[in-house]
Amino acid sequence: MSARIKQLVAAPGGRRTKWLVLAVWILLVAALGPLAGKLGDVEETGPNAFLPRSAESAELNTALERFRGGSDDEIMPAVAVYTVADGTMTDAGRQKAAADVRAFAPYVADGERVTPPVASDDGGALMTVVPLTDTDDLGDVVDDVRAVAADGAPPGVDVQVGGPAASLADSVAVFDSLDATLMLATLAVVTVLLLITYRSPVLWLLPVLSVGFAAVLTQAVTYLLAKHAGLPVDPQSAGILMVLVFGVGTDYALLLIARYREELHRHEDRHAAMRLALRRCFPAVLASAATIAAGLSCLYFADISSSRSLGLVGAVGAVCAFLALVTVLPALLVIAGRWVFWPFVPRHGTPVHAHRTVWSRIGAAVAARPRWSWLMSLGVTAVLAFGVVGMDFGLKQSEMFQDKPESVVAQERVSAHYPSGASDPADIVTNAAGKDAVRDAAAQVPGVAGVTADGTTRDGELAALRVTLDDEPDSDAAKDTVDALRTAVGAVDGADALVGGTTAEALDTQRAADRDLRTVVPIVLGVVLLVLIGLLRALVAPLVLLTTAVLSNVAALGASYLLFDHVFDFAAVDWSIPLMGFVFLTALGIDYNIFLVTRVREEVAAQGHAKGVIAGLTSTGGVITSAGIVLAATFAVFAGLPLVTMAQLGVLVGVGVLLDTFLVRTVMVPALALDLGRWTWWPGALFRRETARAGRRGAERAPGGAAAAAAPEADRVRA
């Protein structure tokens, strides 16, 4: 770093500038606080928020807006289903269903009407479709419809309200409670772990306060980018955003505080200690933030809108967490003084490590048999990776929640008495001139139970059809029917027919997830590799780190699937999980290797390769382990959420981070570095320096002994 940059980096540790930094942050938070509270106003909850951008089903949803005169509000049907446990529907049940048709009328979308109750063939159920408008208050409207349906239900008659409107309302209800639940749970987890880590009643407050500053900045910047720059934000990405900021921000806090504590042992002046700590750990924290931001930003190339949103919003969070934790936290620490570490106050002149630590013992064990160590750790990851064999993908709508909401129960009742697709038919939009031909073609497709007209646009150019399928909307059989349906109506000349609906959306998402995995993963690996090469100024070490990260990701997915199957009893893995898990684990998990290897590089330059590797592992072992546990615990909060997709992502990231922390970073990477010797740093300046150092040692031990000078350093380490 240049002298000017060093001064800027160390500014939060200055005697006067610390107060300036704190004042700027207080003013910034006061100004941005109101904007942070508006993030929910820009969240996208429309029908295309979680769909692939290029999907035919998304194109159909856009076309359906024309049926509302260009309005963004889509018709979302709710389905009231009346059932009896045994036998046929009672007269009281039929009277109740008929009365509800009139009672539902105030909630119906303009220009629409409630369908009369339709009896099932077995006589045990009645079904009424209530067309609602997909607006911001859809959840309240669904609650009102459910209250009407439940009011005065005759004995023996069960009434549930499901359908697309109720499913969306149930999902949004989960996300509405998500932010508060996640924030409280994450804050509790971070607080407990910081108390355990520091064993101080005061110190834990400063990282939490700093992360709070970062959270306000993140939400405000995200809101402004969404409002004025088109940044996509949905309820899922907004909920995960705060967990990411807390987890990453706490990691940076742990690294900075650990280095500051070390320097306090060496320097009497706490300002000098902080300035030095910032200069020495800043490159690692910057590289970490750059890796996370760059890795998550690669999701911009994903086709699924929710994946793009999560990646871009997460990148904003990583940058804001970095800015806060390298500025306001150092200022707070220096202002507070040494006493903030009480009762374990670091005293000037006392040794940093007064006794041999567990990490020095692990380092010695790895150094004794480096090749055996990395082969053993490789074997463990390989065994865990076998868990991906036979993995089941694709969650049905009924499997998306850990606890069944009313919409899922209603769908089960419909499937038991009607063609399974009756409550959620497929949609077709076609040119009005070809409507009859399209309807005839659709009716001939195997798996189609019926086709009905569903209106035309006001200009008469487009016509809509509803197609009832024989099978459940998100079943494999229904997806096959949609494929056949698209082929059949696509063959009608001049019709330009589009097929959408829940089944088509599930099919399009499944295929886009596979495409995104094949497209985004290589981009992420390439970007992360470039960041590592720029940081370490070598080629071998970045390739080693990236390879271990990929192995760890596969092992984490295999281990997580075993947990999904045998502990959580999830029916399958959501299509988005492999890509989301890979990107998060590559971006987050590589952090710990960055923290380790940058410190190792610093120690190698001072002590030589073998001693430097062990010294780097020893000095960073405690802080990186604490950081890994904090990050894993924050994401593990997801496991208790009702939405299965988020629970799976949380478990996968938590397992992957723990693998990186306790196996990859602790054993595999140091062992590989020791086995490779100075070639770890090839072809950079450190490799040339270590080669020259090895030559000098060889010459000293055996004057004129060229063979000794040429002996691989790794062999001498093992000896």
Side-chain angles (χ1 to χ4, degrees):
M1 291 188 291
S2 66
R4 185 175 295 276
I5 293 178
K6 287 182 178 179
Q7 284 182 335
L8 185 62
V9 168
R15 296 182 184 278
R16 296 184 181 87
T17 51
K18 64 187 178 186
W19 297 106
L20 176 62
V21 169
L22 181 59
V24 168
W25 268 102
I26 292 174
L27 293 174
L28 194 63
V29 169
L32 296 180
L35 296 179
K38 294 183 178 181
L39 182 58
D41 296 344
V42 294
E43 292 178 3
E44 299 177 9
T45 58
N48 290 343
F50 296 91
L51 292 179
R53 291 174 294 169
S54 62
E56 182 174 331
S57 55
E59 189 177 351
L60 178 136
N61 288 335
T62 302
L64 286 175
E65 295 175 7
R66 293 182 58 183
F67 289 80
R68 300 291 298 166
S71 170
D72 292 335
D73 296 332
E74 183 192 4
I75 299 298
M76 293 286 285
V79 177
V81 56
Y82 306 78
T83 58
V84 293
D86 298 302
T88 59
M89 180 59 62
T90 63
D91 290 338
R94 284 189 284 269
Q95 292 171 4
K96 166 65 175 170
D100 284 350
V101 170
R102 295 186 295 272
F104 291 148
Y107 308 105
V108 174
D110 293 341
E112 303 291 332
R113 63 184 181 87
V114 182
T115 63
V118 177
S120 61
D121 291 340
D122 60 12
L126 295 169
M127 181 173 66
T128 299
V129 178
V130 186
L132 306 177
T133 303
D134 181 15
T135 58
D136 292 338
D137 62 349
L138 178 64
D140 295 334
V141 175
V142 169
D143 288 341
D144 291 340
V145 170
R146 284 173 168 166
V148 169
D151 184 32
V157 178
D158 293 326
V159 187
Q160 281 83 29
V161 175
S167 295
L168 180 60
D170 288 340
S171 297
V172 171
V174 170
F175 287 119
D176 284 344
S177 62
L178 186 65
D179 290 348
T181 302
L182 281 178
M183 283 290 289
L184 292 175
T186 303
L187 181 60
V189 167
V190 169
T191 299
V192 170
L193 291 175
L194 287 176
L195 281 169
I196 294 173
T197 300
Y198 293 129
R199 293 170 291 171
S200 167
V202 180
L203 182 57
W204 67 274
L205 286 168
L206 300 188
V208 170
L209 181 60
S210 302
V211 173
F213 282 132
V216 172
L217 178 64
T218 300
Q219 290 183 319
V221 171
T222 303
Y223 167 77
L224 291 172
L225 291 175
K227 182 86 172 169
H228 303 290
L231 177 70
V233 181
D234 59 53
Q236 176 178 276
S237 61
I240 294 177
L241 176 62
M242 287 299 96
V243 176
L244 179 69
V245 170
F246 264 83
V248 171
T250 305
D251 278 3
Y252 296 161
L254 288 167
L255 182 68
L256 175 64
I257 291 173
R259 194 61 188 256
Y260 176 50
R261 187 199 292 267
E262 283 187 33
E263 300 304 333
L264 285 174
H265 283 277
R266 302 187 181 108
H267 298 83
E268 187 172 3
D269 183 359
R270 67 181 189 277
H271 299 90
M274 177 56 76
R275 289 195 295 268
L276 193 57
L278 279 169
R279 289 170 182 169
R280 288 185 173 175
C281 72
F282 183 84
V285 176
L286 176 62
S288 168
T291 302
I292 295 174
L296 294 180
S297 295
C298 291
L299 284 170
Y300 172 81
F301 299 100
D303 194 23
I304 298 177
S305 298
S306 56
S307 298
R308 295 178 69 245
S309 173
L310 184 56
L312 297 177
V313 168
V316 173
V319 172
C320 292
F322 163 76
L323 292 175
L325 271 296
V326 298
T327 54
V328 69
L329 177 61
L332 289 172
L333 286 168
V334 176
I335 290 171
R338 292 176 184 263
W339 71 269
V340 78
F341 289 90
W342 184 87
F344 302 99
V345 179
R347 304 295 182 185
H348 173 236
T350 59
V352 177
H353 301 293
H355 53 82
R356 195 179 184 197
T357 66
V358 64
W359 305 109
S360 62
R361 295 187 180 94
I362 291 174
V366 171
R369 303 184 67 181
R371 184 164 300 172
W372 181 89
S373 297
W374 70 259
L375 285 174
M376 179 273 297
S377 58
L378 180 63
V380 172
T381 56
V383 169
L384 293 175
F386 273 114
V388 303
V389 177
M391 186 177 292
D392 293 326
F393 287 99
L395 291 168
K396 298 179 181 179
Q397 185 66 31
S398 60
E399 299 165 346
M400 294 295 292
F401 300 90
Q402 299 205 56
D403 297 317
K404 287 183 181 180
E406 185 174 338
S407 58
V408 172
V409 177
Q411 176 58 44
E412 292 176 346
R413 300 292 174 86
V414 170
S415 298
H417 295 277
Y418 298 87
S420 296
S423 67
D424 197 357
D427 296 310
I428 297 178
V429 170
T430 178
N431 291 332
K435 179 180 69 174
D436 293 337
V438 169
R439 181 175 55 200
D440 293 341
Q444 299 301 315
V445 174
V448 171
V451 183
T452 58
D454 196 36
T456 59
T457 54
R458 295 178 182 178
D459 57 14
E461 292 184 358
L462 298 180
L465 302 172
R466 285 289 176 94
V467 182
T468 301
L469 307 180
D470 287 329
D471 303 291
E472 288 189 29
D474 47 10
S475 65
D476 290 338
K479 292 174 185 175
D480 292 339
T481 302
V482 166
D483 264 336
L485 193 60
R486 283 175 167 172
T487 301
V489 302
V492 177
D493 291 335
D496 296 329
L498 301 171
V499 178
T502 299
T503 306
E505 291 172 357
L507 180 63
D508 292 339
T509 301
Q510 172 183 333
R511 290 174 175 167
D514 182 62
R515 175 261 178 200
D516 288 350
L517 190 65
R518 290 183 280 105
T519 301
V520 175
V521 166
I523 297 175
V524 172
L525 293 177
V527 168
V528 172
L529 180 61
L530 291 177
V531 172
L532 292 175
I533 290 173
L535 173 68
L536 300 177
R537 284 162 284 179
L539 184 59
V540 173
L543 288 172
V544 168
L545 294 181
L546 203 60
T547 301
T548 59
V550 172
L551 292 173
S552 176
N553 287 350
V554 178
L557 185 59
S560 297
Y561 182 63
L562 296 176
L563 294 176
F564 297 160
D565 194 28
H566 300 291
V567 177
F568 294 95
D569 198 27
F570 295 147
V573 180
D574 188 75
W575 289 104
S576 65
I577 292 302
L579 177 61
M580 292 294 96
F582 178 86
V583 173
F584 268 85
L585 286 177
T586 301
L588 296 174
I590 205 75
D591 274 9
Y592 304 119
N593 284 329
I594 288 176
F595 295 161
L596 169 66
V597 177
T598 51
R599 185 60 182 266
V600 166
R601 192 176 187 279
E602 178 184 330
E603 298 294 343
V604 167
Q607 304 183 48
H609 183 77
K611 291 182 179 179
V613 171
I614 305 305
L617 175 61
T618 300
S619 59
T620 62
V623 63
I624 294 179
T625 300
S626 299
I629 292 173
V630 168
L631 188 60
T634 53
F635 273 90
V637 170
F638 288 168
L641 296 179
L643 200 62
V644 170
T645 301
M646 297 192 72
Q648 290 182 343
L649 180 62
V651 171
L652 175 57
V653 173
V655 169
V657 168
L658 292 177
L659 276 175
D660 277 328
T661 302
F662 289 101
L663 185 65
V664 176
R665 190 270 310 165
T666 304
V667 179
M668 187 182 293
V669 171
L672 283 168
L674 289 170
D675 204 18
L676 288 169
R678 62 182 180 274
W679 289 95
T680 303
W681 314 107
W682 184 88
L686 189 57
F687 166 75
R688 296 190 295 273
R689 187 185 307 172
E690 285 301 294
T691 300
R693 181 180 291 172
R696 290 194 298 270
R697 283 200 300 266
E700 291 172 359
R701 293 177 182 176
E713 182 181 351
D715 293 339
R716 293 198 295 278
V717 172
R718 289 192 292 273

